[in-house]
């Protein structure tokens, strides 16, 4: 509160109990002296100082005089507020005469005394009514009082202005403020205080009086100092509040029928407030800042947008005009301001001119260009009630601007500009269409614009007119004006008056009719001046309005009747009405296909509204249509009828499905023909006979609930699929369904949601990325109708025979015919299949009827054997492998599976499969490739095949290696699977397989596949147990050949590898499906060429594991041959042994005569042996460390080589000295080692005994003795940290039922029984705590990553598996399982055991390190299983678990090539799965290492790292000044040396190489000698 009683010296202290009463102030004592204090205000202390008798008598007299007045302090009378201020004033004046006299100040009364008297009269102990009357009395003479008295009165009456006071009290208080403001002569700070009293918050009823006071204070808005900013904020705050209060009052007033329909206090307050805002902008706009203007205009516009009151709109327009004229509309409100003004001008006739004046005032402002742009953009507003008026108002303004193009004060808008803007108008609103047509007619009527209109684009103009006409239904009426529009309910326009909506809509329709007539009349005088093109457009306009064709009239009538519900079950005569239309369909011979389809659609639209009792009626309709469709035989009609029938049967299944389906058979072979009898182009979908498609939809609907009907439809589709005389457009939809049939492990039928044959489709150029220019739009000339049936006679009516064409015309010329199926293309199925397997339909078995999948296999076999239309044949080729991956589906079709095997093998071995059309960019090799994929899937059925049949499959795959240019890769990858599925057949055929691979080593594109096959084979020793020496030599020869090729490629490669994008073409997304099959085409074909590092690494890897696979007695026999072939010549012709060759030789050197496995350090030193001395030498490319006990001579020898470290013990067997031997002298140096140590031997002695003689040793061959310093110790320690095998880490992740998110997958703490079985096959469970091997990041001290894991190791590689289910799970502290993700996310390769029933997406575990996911999924659970199924799976026996089939597929990162044998999915039982998965994981890990480091060079293996550490030591400590020519007696080899000969050579690989080459000196088997005889 700005003022208080303390400031005025009139404050009453708070009344407290006597014991807390403060001493009375001087003013209190003065008031008590005057008798103006209440008795309780005068304490005991004050009574001791009584006023004089004269003063007390005067005070009593004054108080009695006031109390005795009619409206004094004791009065109980009240006044009633009138609805109008004048009546209230008169009533108040008549009732206050006595009271006014008591509150009038006598001249003799001092003003301070009167002031106290007035304050007492306004004290709060009195009622608000009495105090309000006192305020009115005091206000009359307020101008005669001093400022102090005025303030005292305001403070005493302050609470009367608050919201809690009565309306009468608030009115009195603001009246008081109004009078004070009028007589105010105080300084500016008092104006601010008065302003703050006025703007106190009140409810809507008191705002009118508040505004009056404010208007008085501001002198009608002209004098705002010093509260300009607060004033603007107050107005902006009060506007929305008062509008809401006024709106609520209006709503209440409308609902009260007894209430007089007069403006209420809230509405009067709103209007007075709006008037004040407008006056303020007129008088004082310059005093407002931009923020204040923007806030007020924003609230004003919102009121104008929301209100339904015309007067509100009028007031708002006044504010906007005043602002536009004196302050300018803020730029941020300009667009909205224009929209509001346009809407009001169009909606309120009384305000049209005022709003237009305001708009044109804005158009004369500097922002006129922006305003015109906003007006043009306004035409594109969405069609609702407000915007329809806005668009109409904008059109009015724009039309005036077009007409006033010569006015220099206004911006120019051309006629073409307006027409272009009209093209953006939304014509859904009838009012908008009316306004648009009105604007065009106005402009056409303006003769000054004629020339400009004639020169404009009339095509655009007529299009706008026809569009603005809308989709109204025109009814031809011969008895009245032919051009009428049937009105229907439209949009409702908010207004003060409630309109008859139907009448309004009809009025708009009539307006549109009149305007169209007007426009047509305006076109007539312009006809002679129109160009031919313009005349044609005007003719089109007339034609669209005439509708003179009878068939169009019929269609219009049918549409109207249908919209009105004439044929719907809601109509009492709907059945009779439908039969009338049915008779029209049957009897009317001139109906075109479109009209016939419309009639069928009438029945279809009524079907959803029908009840169960109406089913018989609709079945009768369908049967009548089927019986009589011969008269209206065309594809659109047939397709529409089929859809209707299927919709009916979906709602009410027929009782006799077979009989009904038989009626459709004659319709399946209908084809549309042109008038000349030639096939029409297939550009329009309706030109195809798709009558079978609705039956597919019906099958999907029946599958979950109607087993018998579903079986009938299945049989019907089988008949369709096997009918070669049917068009492919009929057979393909059926094939799409049949090829997606699957079942789960319980035999329940379901339909695969997505097809998983995308990549194989690319093989046949059936993807957008692979189809060639020739095959993109055309097939061969016989591809469409080479299978047409014999001709049939046409109908006598003279109509075209739509079924057949003459035989000699078939294939006359090729037509642009896009294929019937493509990837990606239209959805493969008409609707989404059920999410879960059917609970009522199963595969057929002897004990359980169901779908006979053997019938489908018969169809497939027939198509493969007989061939046929390429569309059908190619579809079966592509999609058969995927279906064969579900062996449970064909559990009862063993004979047919065997027959299918026989057919595929025969086709591939004889090459008598169907030739692809010449212009499809498909070769015979592509067809063979698809057949090989199917044969690969048949490997899962190997138990059905005899031994000879299995052997024949192997021979067939061998046939495919080299016979066709596209099949070699797939056949080799399939043979890799055969190693696990048919090991016996592989063993018998293995010599021939290896021989075949040696014959095709010139096909470098097969290098990776052959080497990966050999690498996997080497780890299956039982398969090559009968290998002979020459067959091993053949394997080594293949590797050497590919090494030579890789070297050549590596030399030709640029420093930067080809862009990764080269590998991305024609790839799948990172979703694990069964469609990532790859052929020799596409991105994968060049991996061997662009990444020879992998071929290089793989060839050495294969040599290593195959050498280790040799029997020990045979290994030395191969050393010389391998050594001779590992060397290669540099560009200068010098033989060179690269690092990888060196470590391979080192490996052979270490294991050629040893098969004991790895050794460990085991120093058997005892205290009695004496002190232990250690010394290390570099001998060639090895480090030899000798630790010798100086007393006993016991020695441990450590030989560190690149490929491993060997530990051995040595001790000379010393006999006791003979008795006659003189005593050995004491060694004085023994004191250095202690009194008990006697030095009998040094490590140097042991080293010389084992490595040297007295023969001369050239300096380059001298061992290098390493100093015993810290640098050498660190070097040896670094050497030992390099593992003796290459280590890899592989994640093994279990995905449970229905899981798809990373966190929930990693949170699994156990897997299924099958998963645990799979883990046991992958490796061996090992403890982590204290592990002596490289755990690949797993903690081996604190158990952070679990107590155990699985691992696998051989003599070349080691895999440690990161298994999240074996790691601790702490969802409370680690809900995202980050602790597990840090391992899985850093693994190049992850094995995903996916039992979710959902496709696994590659990016499920986002990481920059994941390169390959090996996805394993059960073949019989392609959807999330129900809980019961999951439980039953867990209760299967171990034998059943091992027999369960799983698909396995490598899914790589999008930047990663497909290189694995499982790049296309393979099918194996769980028993064989771990070995293949481990092999794939190892190969993918090697490749990932090479791929991720391709830009920086080769990946350095552990062996090569160890070799480099040895080289570093040699470079540091070797005598580099030694001559390369030295005496070297007695060397064996091709050249012998005698004493005195000179050896010439060069220092190489830690030794001396002969001048002729390095090879002779590397073959250690020459001088190591043959193995001793075994006896």
């Amino acid at each position: 509160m700005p003022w208080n009683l303390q400031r005025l010296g009139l404050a009453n202290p708070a009344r407290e109990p006597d014991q807390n009463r403060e001493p009375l102030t001087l003013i209190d004592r003065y008031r008590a002296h005057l008798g103006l204090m209440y008795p309780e205000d005068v304490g005991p202390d004050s009574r001791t100082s009584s006023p004089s008798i004269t003063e007390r008598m005067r005070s009593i007299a004054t108080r009695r005089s006031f109390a005795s007045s009619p409206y004094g302090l004791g009065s109980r009378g009240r006044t009633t507020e009138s609805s109008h201020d004048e009546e209230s004033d008169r009533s108040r004046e008549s009732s206050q005469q006595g009271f006014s006299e008591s509150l009038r100040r006598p001249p003799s009364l001092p003003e301070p005394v009167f002031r106290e008297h007035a304050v007492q009269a306004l004290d709060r102990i009195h009622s608000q009514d009495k105090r309000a009357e006192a305020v009115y009395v005091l206000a009359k003479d307020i101008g005669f009082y001093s400022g102090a008295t005025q303030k005292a009165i305001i403070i005493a009456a302050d609470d009367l202005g608050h919201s809690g006071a009565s309306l009468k009290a608030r009115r009195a208080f603001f009246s008081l403020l109004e009078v004070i403001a009028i007589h105010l002569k105080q300084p500016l700070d008092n104006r601010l205080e008065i302003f703050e009293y006025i703007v106190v918050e009140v409810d809507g009823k008191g705002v009118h009086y508040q505004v009056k006071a404010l208007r008085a204070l501001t002198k009608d808005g002209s004098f705002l100092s010093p509260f300009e900013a607060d004033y603007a904020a107050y107005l902006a705050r009060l506007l929305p509040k008062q509008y809401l209060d006024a709106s609520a009052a209006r709503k209440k007033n409308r609902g009260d029928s007894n209430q007089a329909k007069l403006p209420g206090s809230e509405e009067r307050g709103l209007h007075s407030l709006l008037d004040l805002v407008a006056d303020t902008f007129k008088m004082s706009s310059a005093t407002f800042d931009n923020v204040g203007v923007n806030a007020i205009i924003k609230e004003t516009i919102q009121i104008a947008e929301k209100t339904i009151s015309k007067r509100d709109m009028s007031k708002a327009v006044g504010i906007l005009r005043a602002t536009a004229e004196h302050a300018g509309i803020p730029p941020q409100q300009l667009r909205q301001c224009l929209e509001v003004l346009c809407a009001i001008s169009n909606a309120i006739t009384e305000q049209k001119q005022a709003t237009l004046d305001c708009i044109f005032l804005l158009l004369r402002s500097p922002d006129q260009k922006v305003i015109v742009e906003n007006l043009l953009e306004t035409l594109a507003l969405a069609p609702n009630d407000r915007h329809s008026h806005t668009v109409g108002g904008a059109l009015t303004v724009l039309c005036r601007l077009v007409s006033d193009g010569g006015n220099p004060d206004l911006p120019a808008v051309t006629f073409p500009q307006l027409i272009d803007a009209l093209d953006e108008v939304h014509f859904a609103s009838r009012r908008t269409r009316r306004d648009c047509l009105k604007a065009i007619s106005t402009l056409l009527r303006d003769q000054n614009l004629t020339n400009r209109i004639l020169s404009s684009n009339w095509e655009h103009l007529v299009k706008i007119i026809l569009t603005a006409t809308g989709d109204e239904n025109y009814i031809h009426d011969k008895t009245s004006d032919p051009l009428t529009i049937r009105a229907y309910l439209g949009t409702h326009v908010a207004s003060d008056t409630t309109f008859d909506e139907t009448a309004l809509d009809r009025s708009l329709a009539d307006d549109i009719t009149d305007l169209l007539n007007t426009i047509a009349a305006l076109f007539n005088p312009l006809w002679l001046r129109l160009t031919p093109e313009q005349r044609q457009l005007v003719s089109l306009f007339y034609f669209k309005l005439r509708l003179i064709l009878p068939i169009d009239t019929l269609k219009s009538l049918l549409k109207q009747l249908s919209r009105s519900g004439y044929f719907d079950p809601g109509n009492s005569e709907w059945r009779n009405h439908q039969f009338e239309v049915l008779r029209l369909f049957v009897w009317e011979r001139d109906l075109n296909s479109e009209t016939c389809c419309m009639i069928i659609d009438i029945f279809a639209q009524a079907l959803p509204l029908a009840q169960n009792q109406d089913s018989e009626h609709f079945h009768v309709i369908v049967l009548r249509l089927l019986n009589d469709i011969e008269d209206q035989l065309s594809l659109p009609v047939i397709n529409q009828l089929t859809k209707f029938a299927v919709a009916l049967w979906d709602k009410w299944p027929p009782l006799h499905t077979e009989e009904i389906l038989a009626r459709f058979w004659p319709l399946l072979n209908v084809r549309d023909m042109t008038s000349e009898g030639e096939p029409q182009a297939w550009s329009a979908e309706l030109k195809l006979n798709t009558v079978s498609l609705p039956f597919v939809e019906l099958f999907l609907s029946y599958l979950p609930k109607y087993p018998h009907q579903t079986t009938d439809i299945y049989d019907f589709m089988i008949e369709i699929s096997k009918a070669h005389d049917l068009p492919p457009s009929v057979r393909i939809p059926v094939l799409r369904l049949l090829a997606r049939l699957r079942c789960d492990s319980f035999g329940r039928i379901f339909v695969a949601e997505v097809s998983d044959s995308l990549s194989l489709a690319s093989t046949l150029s059936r993807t957008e990325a692979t189809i060639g220019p020739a095959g993109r739009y055309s097939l061969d000339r016989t591809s469409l109708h080479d299978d047409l049936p014999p001709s049939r006679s046409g109908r006598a009516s003279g109509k075209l025979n739509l079924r057949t064409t003459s035989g000699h015309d078939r294939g006359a010329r090729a037509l642009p015919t896009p294929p019937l199926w493509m990837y990606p293309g239209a959805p493969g199925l008409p609707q989404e299949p059920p999410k879960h397997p059917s609970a009522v339909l199963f595969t057929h078995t002897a004990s359980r009827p169901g779908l006979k999948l053997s019938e489908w296999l018969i169809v497939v076999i027939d198509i493969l054997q007989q061939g046929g239309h390429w569309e059908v044949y190619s579809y079966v080729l592509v999609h058969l492998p995927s279906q064969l991956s579900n062996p449970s589906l064909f559990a009862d079709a063993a004979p047919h599976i065997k027959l299918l095997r026989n057919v595929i093998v025969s086709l591939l071995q004889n090459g008598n499969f169907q030739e692809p059309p010449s212009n499809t960019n498909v070769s015979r090799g592509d067809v063979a490739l698809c057949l090989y994929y199917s044969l690969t899937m048949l490997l899962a059925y190997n138990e059905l095949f005899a031994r000879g049949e299995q052997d024949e499959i192997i021979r067939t795959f061998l046939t495919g290696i080299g016979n066709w240019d596209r099949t070699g890769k797939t056949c080799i990858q399939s043979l890799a699977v055969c190693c696990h599925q048919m090991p016996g057949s592989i063993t018998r055929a293995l010599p021939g397989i290896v021989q075949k691979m040696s014959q095709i080593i010139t096909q470098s594109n097969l290098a990776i596949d052959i080497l990966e096959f050999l690498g996997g084979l080497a780890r299956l020793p039982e398969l090559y147990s009968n290998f002979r020496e020459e067959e091993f030599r053949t394997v080594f020869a293949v590797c050497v050949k590919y090494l030579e090729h890789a070297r050549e490629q590596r030399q030709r490669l640029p420093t930067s590898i080809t862009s990764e994008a080269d590998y991305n073409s024609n790839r799948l997304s990172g979703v694990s499906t069964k469609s990532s099959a790859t052929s020799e085409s596409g991105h994968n074909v060049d991996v061997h060429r662009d990444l020879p590092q992998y071929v290089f690494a793989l060839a050495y890897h294969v040599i290593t594991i195959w050498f280790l696979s040799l029997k020990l007695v045979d290994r030395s026999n191969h050393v010389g041959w391998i050594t001779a072939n590992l060397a290669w010549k540099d560009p200068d012709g010098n033989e060179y042994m690269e690092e990888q060759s060196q470590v391979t030789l080192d490996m052979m050197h270490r294991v050629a005569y040893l098969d004991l496995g790895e050794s460990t350090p085991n120093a058997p030193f005892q205290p009695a042996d004496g002190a232990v001395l250690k010394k290390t030498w570099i001998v060639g490319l090895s480090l030899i460390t000798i630790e010798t006990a100086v007393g006993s001579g016991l020695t441990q020898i450590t030989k560190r080589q690149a490929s491993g470290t060997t530990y051995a013990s040595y001790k000379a067997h010393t006999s006791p000295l003979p008795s006659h031997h003189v005593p050995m002298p004491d060694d004085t140096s023994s004191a250095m080692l202690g009194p008990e140590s006697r030095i009998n031997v040094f490590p140097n002695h042991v080293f010389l005994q084992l490595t040297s003689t007295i023969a001369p040793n050239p300096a380059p061959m001298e061992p290098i003795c390493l100093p015993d310093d810290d640098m050498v110790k660190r070097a040896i320690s670094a050497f030992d940290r390099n593992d003796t095998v290459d280590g890899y880490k592989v994640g093994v992740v279990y995905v449970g039922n229905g899981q798809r998110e990373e966190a929930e997958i990693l949170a699994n703490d156990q897997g299924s029984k099958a998963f645990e079985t799979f883990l046991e096959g992958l490796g061996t469970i090992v403890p982590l705590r204290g592990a002596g091997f490289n755990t690949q990041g797993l903690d081996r001290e604190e158990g952070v990553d679990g107590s155990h894991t699985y691992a696998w190791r051989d003599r070349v590689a080691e895999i440690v598996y990161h298994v999240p289910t074996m790691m601790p799970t702490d969802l409370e502290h680690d809900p995202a399982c980050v602790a597990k993700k840090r391992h899985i996310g850093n693994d190049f390769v992850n094995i995903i055991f996916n039992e979710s029933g959902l496709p696994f997406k590659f990016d499920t575990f986002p990481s920059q390190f994941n390169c390959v996911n090996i996805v394993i999924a059960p073949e019989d659970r392609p959807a999330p299983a129900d809980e019961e199924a999951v439980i039953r799976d867990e209760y299967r026996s171990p034998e059943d678990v091992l027999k369960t089939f799983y698909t396995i597929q490598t899914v790589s990162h999008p930047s990663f090539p497909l290189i694995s044998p499982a790049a296309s999915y393979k099918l194996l039982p769980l028993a064989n799965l771990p070995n293949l998965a481990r092999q794939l994981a190892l190969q993918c890990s090697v490749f990932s290492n090479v791929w991720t480091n391709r830009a920086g060079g080769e990946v350095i293996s552990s062996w090569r790292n160890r070799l480099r550490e040895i080289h570093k030591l040699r470079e540091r400590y070797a005598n580099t000044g030694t001559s390369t020519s030295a005496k070297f007696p007695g060397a064996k080899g091709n050249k012998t040396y005698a004493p005195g000969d000179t050896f010439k050579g060069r220092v190489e690989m830690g030794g001396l190489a002969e001048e002729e080459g390095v090879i002779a000196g590397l073959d250690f088997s020459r001088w190591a000698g043959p193995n001793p005889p075994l006896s």
Side-chain angles (χ1 to χ4, degrees), residues 589-605:
R589 294 294 183 262
D590 295 328
L591 296 181
N592 57 21
S593 296
E594 185 178 358
T595 308
C596 291
C597 291
M598 183 186 299
I599 293 174
I600 297 175
D601 191 53
I602 287 174
F603 303 133
Q605 290 179 8

Side-chain angles (χ1 to χ4, degrees), residues 639-783:
N639 292 334
Q640 189 74 9
L641 174 57
T642 307
K643 291 178 183 178
F644 167 54
V646 168
L648 169 64
W649 297 333
D650 188 23
K651 187 170 185 176
W652 295 302
L655 297 178
H656 307 289
T657 312
E658 294 183 11
E659 178 184 351
I660 297 296
L661 294 175
R663 291 175 179 260
F664 275 91
W665 190 261
L667 309 180
L668 296 174
N669 206 19
V670 174
R671 295 170 169 85
D672 259 354
M673 302 295 167
T674 64
S675 58
E676 299 177 5
E678 295 177 350
Q680 291 193 9
W682 289 9
S683 58
E685 187 177 353
L686 285 178
K687 293 300 181 181
L688 299 177
N689 189 335
T690 58
V691 67
S692 59
L693 189 60
F695 293 103
V696 175
E697 185 175 356
L698 193 62
F699 180 93
L700 296 173
S701 298
Y702 281 5
L703 180 60
K705 47 190 176 183
Y706 303 122
H708 299 296
Q709 289 87 341
T710 307
T711 304
D712 290 340
I713 297 174
Y714 169 78
D715 294 338
F716 181 66
M717 290 190 294
I718 289 292
E719 294 301 319
I720 293 176
S721 63
K722 70 172 60 173
H724 289 270
D725 60 333
L726 291 180
S729 62
V730 175
R731 298 173 70 189
I732 290 295
V734 169
L735 293 176
R736 280 176 168 158
L737 174 71
L738 295 175
R740 294 195 188 190
L741 289 178
R742 303 288 189 274
C743 79
D744 62 9
S745 57
F746 307 107
R748 299 180 297 181
I749 294 292
F750 65 91
V751 178
E753 184 175 357
V754 294
S755 177
D756 45 17
S757 304
L758 171 62
S759 185
L760 200 54
S762 68
T763 302
L764 298 188
S765 295
R766 287 301 174 130
T767 64
E768 291 182 358
T770 57
I771 188 169
R776 188 178 294 277
Y777 297 113
S778 63
L779 299 176
D780 66 300
R781 62 181 59 189
T782 62
S783 64

Side-chain angles (χ1 to χ4, degrees), residues 551 554-555 558 581-597 599 631-632 637 799:
I551 192 65
L554 173 62
K555 289 166 57 178
L558 290 176
V581 177
L582 182 62
R583 283 193 292 272
L584 176 66
F585 179 89
V586 174
W587 296 338
E588 179 58 56
R589 294 294 183 262
D590 295 328
L591 296 181
N592 57 21
S593 296
E594 185 178 358
T595 308
C596 291
C597 291
I599 293 174
D631 295 324
Q632 304 292 350
V637 176
K799 287 189 176 181

Side-chain angles (χ1 to χ4, degrees), residues 1240-1275:
N1240 293 323
V1241 61
F1242 281 103
N1244 312 59
H1245 168 77
V1246 178
F1247 177 75
L1248 289 174
Q1249 292 297 312
L1250 296 177
T1251 63
S1252 177
T1253 68
I1254 63 169
N1257 216 10
M1261 293 293 295
E1262 293 176 355
I1264 301 171
C1265 183
L1266 297 178
D1268 189 17
D1269 56 17
D1270 290 339
M1271 180 175 292
V1272 171
K1273 291 178 181 179
R1274 286 195 300 269

Side-chain angles (χ1 to χ4, degrees), residues 1201-1217:
Q1201 296 175 245
S1203 60
T1205 300
T1206 303
Y1207 300 92
S1209 298
Y1210 168 86
K1211 183 177 182 180
H1213 295 285
T1214 305
S1215 63
L1217 292 175

Side-chain angles (χ1 to χ4, degrees), residues 474-476 478 482 539 542-554 556:
Y474 297 90
I475 301 176
H476 187 68
K478 297 180 180 180
S539 299
Y542 286 129
F543 174 78
K544 289 291 186 180
L545 297 180
R546 289 181 62 190
L547 296 177
I548 60 175
L549 294 177
I551 192 65
D552 291 334
T553 302
L554 173 62
S556 180

Side-chain angles (χ1 to χ4, degrees), residues 415-680:
F415 182 81
Q417 276 184 288
L418 179 57
I419 294 301
D420 290 341
L422 287 175
D423 195 39
E424 301 297 325
V425 173
H426 296 270
F427 290 105
S429 168
R430 182 172 286 180
R431 178 179 288 103
T432 301
R433 299 202 296 271
R434 187 272 312 273
D435 292 337
C436 181
L437 292 173
K438 183 178 180 180
I440 293 175
S441 65
T442 300
L443 295 175
L444 289 173
R445 191 180 289 110
D446 190 345
Q447 296 182 1
N448 296 326
L449 297 176
T450 301
N451 292 332
R452 280 183 278 174
I453 292 175
L454 289 174
S455 63
S456 63
N457 186 344
W458 274 56
E459 181 178 3
H460 207 175
L461 172 63
V462 174
K463 175 188 174 184
I464 294 296
I465 295 173
L466 294 177
T467 305
T469 301
D471 57 352
E472 309 285 356
N473 299 314
Y474 297 90
I475 301 176
H476 187 68
D477 185 359
K478 297 180 180 180
T479 60
S480 61
D481 184 80
L483 185 61
T484 60
I485 300 178
R486 182 175 183 272
Y488 61 91
L489 291 181
T491 58
H492 171 62
V493 181
S495 176
D496 287 342
T497 306
T498 302
F499 294 102
D500 181 352
E501 297 176 10
T502 303
L504 173 63
D505 218 53
R506 288 175 178 170
S507 174
L508 290 173
D510 292 338
D511 290 344
I512 293 175
T513 303
D514 294 340
L515 288 168
L516 289 172
N517 279 295
T518 300
I519 292 174
L522 291 171
F523 279 157
N524 288 333
L526 300 177
W527 181 263
L528 296 178
R529 302 175 61 181
L530 300 178
T531 64
E533 292 78 13
Q534 290 172 338
R535 290 181 182 180
Q536 185 177 1
L537 291 169
V538 174
S539 299
L540 176 63
F541 167 76
Y542 286 129
F543 174 78
K544 289 291 186 180
L545 297 180
R546 289 181 62 190
L547 296 177
I548 60 175
L549 294 177
I551 192 65
D552 291 334
T553 302
L554 173 62
K555 289 166 57 178
S556 180
L557 175 62
L558 290 176
K559 287 180 181 179
Q560 294 298 337
L561 294 176
S562 179
R563 288 181 179 178
S564 64
Y566 188 75
F567 305 106
D568 295 343
N571 190 300
S572 59
E573 297 294 326
W574 70 277
R575 290 187 176 88
N576 294 333
H577 297 163
Q578 287 196 357
F579 278 120
E580 290 175 3
V581 177
L582 182 62
R583 283 193 292 272
L584 176 66
F585 179 89
V586 174
W587 296 338
E588 179 58 56
R589 294 294 183 262
D590 295 328
L591 296 181
N592 57 21
S593 296
E594 185 178 358
T595 308
C596 291
C597 291
M598 183 186 299
I599 293 174
I600 297 175
D601 191 53
I602 287 174
F603 303 133
Q605 290 179 8
L607 182 60
L609 304 176
Q611 304 298 322
N612 290 336
Q613 61 269 22
D614 304 322
S615 62
E616 184 178 354
H617 166 78
F618 282 99
H619 281 296
V620 171
I621 293 288
V622 170
L623 292 176
R624 288 290 304 275
L625 290 172
L626 286 172
N627 290 336
D628 298 310
I629 199 172
E630 184 76 15
D631 295 324
Q632 304 292 350
L633 203 56
S634 69
L635 287 182
V637 176
I638 291 173
N639 292 334
Q640 189 74 9
L641 174 57
T642 307
K643 291 178 183 178
F644 167 54
V646 168
L648 169 64
W649 297 333
D650 188 23
K651 187 170 185 176
W652 295 302
L655 297 178
H656 307 289
T657 312
E658 294 183 11
E659 178 184 351
I660 297 296
L661 294 175
R663 291 175 179 260
F664 275 91
W665 190 261
L667 309 180
L668 296 174
N669 206 19
V670 174
R671 295 170 169 85
D672 259 354
M673 302 295 167
T674 64
S675 58
E676 299 177 5
E678 295 177 350
Q680 291 193 9

